[in-house]
Amino acid sequence: MATKSFDHPFVDKVQQRGLLAGACGVVILFILAFADSQQFFQSYLVSYIYWLVISLGCLGLLMLHHLVSGRWGFVIRRLLESGARTLWLMAVLFIPIALLGMYHLYEWTHTDVVAKDPILTFKKPYLNETGFYIRAVVYFALWLLWMFLLTKWSREQDETGEPGLKSRMINLSGPGIPMFILTVTFAATDWVMSLEPHWFSTIYGLIFVIGGALGAMALCILWVIKLKDVEIYREVDAFKYLSDLGTLMFAFTCLWAYVSFSQFLIIWSGNLAEEAPWYIRRSHGGWQYVGIALIIFHFFLPFFLLLQRAIKRRAALMTVIAIFMLIMRYVDLYYFITPAFGHGGASGLYRYVADVLTFVSIGGLWLGFFAMQLKGVPLMPLHDPRMAETFAGEGH
Amino acid sequence: MGSPAPIKDPTMPAPVLGPGQTYTTVTQRLSAIITSRTPLGWIAALLIAGGILQLLMLSATWLLIKGTGIWGLNIPVGWGWAIINFVWWIGIGHAGTLISAILLLMRQQWRNSINRFAEAMTIFAVMCAGMFPLLHTGRPWVAAYWLLPYPNTMSVWPQFRSPLIWDVFAVGTYFTVSLIFWYLGLIPDFATLRDKAKHKISQIIYGVLSMGWRGSAKHWFNYEMAALLLAGVSTPLVLSVHSIVSLDFSVGLIPGWHATIFPPYFVAGAVYAGFAMVLTLGLPIRYFYGLHDYITDRHLNNMGKVMLATGLIVAYGYLMEQFFAWYSASPYEGYMMQNRTFGPYSGTYWSLILCNVAIPQLLWIKRVRLSPIWLFIISMFINVGMWLERFIIVVTSLHRDFMPSSWDMYHSTPWDWGLYAGTIGFFLFMMILFIRVMPVINIFEIRQLVANKNRGEHAETASADD
């Protein structure tokens, strides 16, 4: 049995190309940022939130795995850990938003606007720069702490096989889940909901939690398929669990539709002046087609495809569906974020260039970082006491 | 796979089945609950529950003679105990489907010994729930005429945009599917009872109920297929029923009702209440009939964890309501929350926080999750807490709405209490009858656990677990 780290040409390739694309992108972005910082930060925020939500989804699923110990979790635990470890990178990439971006993005940072607006004045105890900084530090500190301890103990477990580590990881993940859901909720409120500072919705945080889990699951499926020839994966026949992972992706797709539709139905039927503008902005000026596309392609199409076991077992089809879901995650977040800017951004080509470039450079760095984390360790947690039992009696 | 040196795992869960069980002991032990002589304790319990049931008869009769004026309803609180009790009972009815459908699809073996009475509980709870809106119409014998859409000469249709009419369909579907699911699972056990029964009449009754089950491979194949399909159909129902119940409130504009978190928060609350009731009933049954080998520490631990998780989601709902009532900057939302927390009903609100949020935190401790007494006490607190939650949502939101001139307090009357206590009597009466005439634990699924154990498969660890 292989107990050491593995080599796979694909991982090296992703690491090199990802980091290269990221590095080049950052240079070009630097120029763009000076050309039109308003548009730059609008595009940057969408791409940043997209990759951050996937990192967070990995952390959330990792804690869920420790608590429920399903077979699917052992197959993707290393992928989730590597995904969660990109939170270091995401913390660094938050700096441009915190230093400069927030003045371009958030209306409530402008004192003259706040002074004229009684609602924003009322919200000032929460929506103010100091509070924003303190909360951001708290969110990242908590995420990094949990991520650091969970991945550190997991690596120690690989080396020593010390059985006590398992209970430590379980005991940390228990309170980790409430911590995670609360911090993600308030982070989503601070960084995304407050783009339209008058608007509010109590289910908003859950939409981000579930969206993150969905994105992380789609990414893991892609990697499991790509790495299915690695020795450890062949030994436990990891490919067999592809349909379990597909079922989880199906479940998260349904939950996403459930929370998104709940929010829509309640706000639509209430038709109140405080809430409705959020959907009004998103149902005019071309956004209505994006909304309809989300209903069809973020829910109905994957719903009917993933309902079928035959599809969930075929690598080629699952690759396509997983990539498709990752694209739809971007469309969903774009639909959440971009209409908030109204007409404030650049129009035409420049805007799309900025969107694509920010996505590619942050994504490149993310994937490069991810591959780097994945390379140093065995692809499965070999000394986890539960794993041996879980995969025992499977020898056929 | 060549596994590394075996390591003693401190996190290894307890088995789902006690030691030394064989096919014979399982069948003997579980069917003896029904075929043995009637215990005196059972008769006493039935009489007590039957006594409480008389309150239902009395309150319902008086209600139909006098009308809903005998309740504490007033304007502005036009929805009182009837809707509170309806939502409370529907919530309790959620554990059954969750355990039988979702846990079946997730291949959770520990569901096997608790699914039967959880399903029975679901059916009786939904019956209790259904009584309230029907009685609230004042003339339940013509309720179908108002509730169901049908073509008529006056072209009068129900308002399809109203969640109240969605409720009729959601609850109706839920009841039907739960009943079919429950009956399907009972068929192989009815056949066992038919074969075990000594009396001619019980042989005939169980024989008819078992629908000619002989246990052939083909029968089992069909059974497994049907169970899987019904599980698939029931799974969305777990979410849909209580989501639609939550829409009864949240599509309205009243502060405290109109919140987007309502659907998931109500569903979590329902599962929370459902598991609490499973423990409230399951622990005494386990104790009186000595079923410790079938409802093991593993079950208690897992049910405790499910209650902890759903309780935390409910707490998250309370927190979001508090935070966004302030963040909304709406004076109505803000006043509603201040009135709820510090107004005339603040005692009820803080009792709710105590019952639903504070006390259940004890479930973080493993010793508490393994102790039947602690679990019973906590589950009683949750039963009360979930009732208080619905009271808070219904009454504090209505009694002071937008116009101070129409504000009023709400006072329940003895008839409110009588009807509510009466449905509890009905519920207990039905459960006690059920224990005596139908197998309270699924006999054939427990035999399957024995089979798995004999095959040397570690059934309890092989699946996605806990």
Side-chain angles (χ1 to χ4, degrees):
Chain A
M1 157 162 271
T3 50
K4 55 184 186 315
S5 57
F6 69 102
D7 270 322
H8 195 283
F10 182 71
V11 182
D12 294 323
K13 208 164 85 182
V14 169
Q15 185 188 338
Q16 286 159 9
R17 300 212 177 148
L19 293 178
L20 188 70
C24 297
V26 168
V27 174
I28 305 173
L29 283 179
F30 211 66
I31 301 166
L32 280 184
F34 282 103
D36 182 345
S37 30
Q38 179 91 358
Q39 178 58 48
F40 165 76
F41 278 114
Q42 293 179 2
S43 303
Y44 187 86
L45 184 71
V46 180
S47 306
Y48 176 79
I49 293 290
Y50 176 83
W51 289 103
L52 174 72
V53 165
I54 292 181
S55 303
L56 290 172
C58 288
L59 179 63
L61 286 179
L62 179 64
M63 292 190 287
L64 188 69
H65 153 68
H66 283 305
L67 290 176
V68 303
S69 290
R71 267 183 263 198
W72 60 272
F74 290 105
V75 175
I76 60 171
R77 191 211 277 185
R78 280 294 125 80
L79 302 169
L80 295 174
E81 284 169 356
S82 307
R85 285 177 81 91
T86 59
L87 279 166
W88 287 119
L89 173 74
M90 299 322 281
V92 173
L93 292 178
F94 187 70
I95 294 171
I97 296 179
L99 288 184
L100 261 179
M102 62 186 292
Y103 302 101
H104 291 287
L105 293 168
Y106 306 107
E107 223 184 313
W108 50 263
T109 54
H110 304 289
T111 37
D112 51 328
V113 177
V114 174
K116 268 184 277 175
D117 186 327
I119 292 182
L120 292 188
T121 312
F122 180 86
K123 291 186 181 191
K124 221 176 157 194
Y126 186 83
L127 291 182
N128 61 68
E129 287 149 61
T130 321
F132 184 88
Y133 287 132
I134 293 174
R135 288 194 302 271
V137 169
V138 171
Y139 305 146
F140 275 111
L142 289 171
W143 295 336
L144 290 173
L145 177 69
W146 253 264
M147 176 278 283
F148 176 74
L149 289 175
L150 287 176
T151 54
K152 177 172 164 273
W153 291 339
S154 185
R155 284 181 187 192
E156 276 174 27
Q157 192 185 45
D158 269 348
E159 282 156 19
T160 64
E162 158 76 40
L165 288 166
K166 179 76 186 164
S167 357
R168 263 199 258 170
M169 287 191 276
I170 293 175
N171 291 341
L172 188 68
S173 300
I177 297 267
M179 173 287 295
F180 176 78
I181 293 179
L182 283 177
T183 47
V184 172
T185 299
F186 285 102
T189 309
D190 287 4
W191 301 342
V192 190
M193 193 198 282
S194 80
L195 290 169
E196 285 151 287
H198 285 195
W199 184 77
F200 58 92
S201 164
T202 41
I203 203 174
Y204 199 75
L206 288 186
I207 299 181
F208 277 80
V209 169
I210 291 164
L214 175 57
M217 191 49 79
L219 196 79
C220 287
I221 287 175
L222 283 179
W223 280 93
V224 170
I225 293 171
K226 205 65 204 180
L227 299 179
K228 64 178 189 290
D229 292 327
V230 172
E231 198 186 346
I232 311 173
Y233 267 4
R234 262 186 300 156
E235 277 176 26
V236 300
D237 202 358
F239 195 65
K240 218 169 56 183
Y241 303 107
L242 190 62
S243 82
D244 284 353
L245 298 175
T247 304
L248 283 166
M249 185 160 77
F250 171 79
F252 289 129
T253 307
C254 294
L255 280 176
W256 172 87
Y258 172 69
V259 287
S260 306
F261 181 68
S262 298
Q263 173 173 288
F264 171 73
L265 181 68
I266 291 168
I267 290 179
W268 170 79
S269 62
N271 200 17
L272 289 172
E274 300 101 282
E275 302 172 333
W278 197 88
Y279 280 106
I280 292 173
R281 269 194 283 280
R282 283 159 184 77
S283 51
H284 290 93
W287 289 112
Q288 67 270 40
Y289 304 112
V290 181
I292 292 167
L294 280 173
I295 297 170
I296 300 171
F297 297 116
H298 201 310
F299 175 62
F300 279 106
L301 186 66
F303 176 84
F304 285 111
L305 289 176
L306 292 173
L307 209 49
Q308 299 165 56
R309 206 177 284 177
I311 290 182
K312 282 186 282 193
R313 285 181 179 155
R314 293 185 42 195
L317 281 171
M318 282 302 277
T319 309
V320 176
I321 297 174
I323 292 177
F324 183 75
M325 287 321 289
L326 285 169
I327 296 172
M328 289 321 292
R329 286 301 308 138
Y330 182 77
V331 176
D332 186 38
L333 285 170
Y334 199 79
Y335 180 77
F336 259 60
I337 296 173
T338 309
F341 302 124
H343 303 292
S347 57
L349 192 62
Y350 179 77
R351 174 194 199 134
Y352 300 116
V353 170
D355 284 340
V356 171
L357 269 178
T358 49
F359 184 81
V360 170
S361 32
I362 297 179
L365 287 176
W366 197 97
L367 286 170
F369 211 76
F370 175 88
M372 213 158 76
Q373 304 298 328
L374 194 59
K375 252 174 36 175
V377 285
L379 196 50
M380 286 185 65
L382 303 164
H383 292 294
D384 192 297
R386 285 292 268 285
M387 189 175 111
E389 291 150 15
T390 302
F391 289 92
E394 292 281 314
H396 44 87
Chain B
M1 88 182 208
S3 48
I7 306 162
K8 175 90 182 69
D9 177 11
T11 64
M12 178 66 196
V16 282
L17 195 60
Q21 297 291 327
T22 65
Y23 298 128
T24 323
T25 58
V26 168
T27 312
Q28 293 291 1
R29 188 74 195 74
L30 294 179
S31 57
I33 298 174
I34 298 162
T35 51
S36 63
R37 279 180 63 87
T38 312
L40 279 175
W42 182 84
I43 295 175
L46 190 76
L47 285 177
I48 294 169
I52 308 173
L53 172 61
Q54 300 318 308
L55 270 176
L56 174 67
M57 302 300 176
L58 187 69
S59 318
T61 309
W62 192 240
L63 174 79
L64 297 180
I65 293 171
K66 299 294 281 186
T68 51
I70 64 166
W71 290 348
L73 299 179
N74 59 23
I75 297 300
V77 190
W79 262 5
W81 278 43
I83 191 90
I84 296 168
N85 297 336
F86 166 73
V87 180
W88 189 73
W89 278 118
I90 283 280
I92 286 169
H94 266 62
T97 347
L98 182 94
I99 292 170
S100 40
I102 294 189
L103 297 187
L104 177 77
L105 293 180
M106 284 162 59
R107 291 175 294 218
Q108 297 280 304
Q109 306 243 4
W110 61 275
R111 61 177 275 285
N112 286 357
S113 46
I114 51 172
N115 60 354
R116 173 68 47 74
F117 78 82
E119 286 168 26
M121 209 187 81
T122 292
I123 288 161
F124 303 140
V126 174
M127 286 178 177
C128 292
M131 283 183 219
F132 285 96
L134 289 182
L135 287 173
H136 199 171
T137 63
R139 283 180 280 166
W141 51 92
V142 286
Y145 168 80
W146 295 312
L147 295 176
L148 298 174
Y150 62 95
N152 56 69
T153 50
M154 291 175 287
S155 293
V156 176
W157 294 89
Q159 168 60 283
F160 286 109
R161 273 190 181 188
S162 161
L164 296 176
I165 191 75
W166 307 345
D167 257 352
V168 176
F169 294 109
V171 176
T173 312
Y174 188 64
F175 183 72
T176 314
V177 173
S178 302
L179 192 66
I180 295 173
F181 207 165
W182 185 57
Y183 184 71
L184 182 79
L186 276 164
I187 291 175
D189 281 357
F190 280 142
T192 305
L193 291 174
R194 171 196 63 198
D195 300 341
K196 287 261 153 204
K198 296 175 196 91
H199 200 281
K200 191 75 193 160
I201 294 172
S202 34
Q203 278 172 355
I204 291 173
I205 293 173
Y206 287 124
V208 170
L209 287 172
S210 65
M211 292 180 136
W213 179 271
R214 293 184 315 279
S216 74
K218 198 170 175 199
H219 285 176
W220 281 112
F221 178 77
N222 287 340
Y223 168 81
E224 292 291 342
M225 203 50 165
L228 198 65
L229 284 176
L230 276 172
V233 172
S234 313
T235 301
L237 289 178
V238 177
L239 286 180
S240 70
V241 177
H242 231 65
S243 297
I244 289 175
V245 169
S246 82
L247 292 177
D248 290 347
F249 303 101
S250 56
V251 302
L253 298 177
I254 304 282
W257 285 9
H258 186 68
T260 50
I261 190 81
F262 261 40
Y265 148 62
F266 264 53
V267 171
V271 175
Y272 191 39
F275 270 81
M277 191 55 94
V278 169
L279 283 171
T280 308
L281 296 177
L283 290 171
I285 294 176
R286 175 182 187 252
Y287 177 77
F288 287 118
Y289 285 100
L291 299 172
H292 299 76
D293 282 342
Y294 307 101
I295 303 176
T296 64
D297 282 354
R298 172 77 167 281
H299 297 93
L300 303 188
N301 193 12
N302 283 356
M303 286 194 272
K305 283 180 186 170
V306 172
M307 287 205 302
L308 181 61
T310 47
L312 286 170
I313 302 177
V314 169
Y316 174 82
Y318 301 152
L319 182 73
M320 288 299 109
E321 283 186 317
Q322 287 281 357
F323 175 71
F324 283 101
W326 174 80
Y327 181 88
S328 71
S330 152
Y332 305 106
E333 292 281 339
Y335 177 75
M336 176 278 297
M337 204 37 95
Q338 190 223 321
N339 181 48
R340 189 182 276 189
T341 323
F342 303 109
Y345 290 106
S346 61
T348 319
Y349 183 76
W350 291 107
S351 313
L352 149 73
I353 298 293
L354 178 77
C355 293
N356 268 3
V357 180
I359 290 175
Q361 299 311 315
L362 287 171
L363 292 167
W364 284 101
I365 305 162
K366 189 167 184 184
R367 259 216 336 262
V368 172
R369 290 199 304 267
L370 293 179
S371 148
I373 294 169
W374 271 110
L375 279 177
F376 187 76
I377 294 170
I378 293 173
S379 68
M380 286 311 276
F381 271 105
I382 297 171
N383 288 330
V384 175
M386 287 311 293
W387 192 90
L388 295 175
E389 178 194 305
R390 277 65 176 252
F391 181 89
I392 285 291
I393 291 173
V394 172
V395 175
T396 63
S397 306
L398 284 177
H399 91 119
R400 288 181 179 178
D401 60 1
F402 301 101
M403 204 157 53
S405 62
S406 62
W407 287 1
D408 202 355
M409 291 295 287
Y410 174 81
H411 302 285
S412 56
T413 66
W415 294 110
D416 283 315
W417 285 94
L419 195 64
Y420 176 52
T423 51
I424 295 178
F426 172 80
F427 181 73
L428 291 176
F429 186 79
M430 297 297 278
M431 281 306 288
I432 293 165
L433 273 185
F434 158 75
I435 295 170
R436 183 70 193 142
V437 298
M438 292 178 194
V440 68
I441 290 181
N442 199 322
I443 302 174
F444 75 89
E445 284 191 348
I446 297 290
R447 285 197 299 235
Q448 230 165 19
L449 290 182
V450 176
N452 289 346
K453 209 156 121 185
N454 292 349
R455 267 208 306 273
E457 273 181 26
H458 299 287
E460 56 270 37
T461 57
S463 56
D465 230 317
D466 287 52

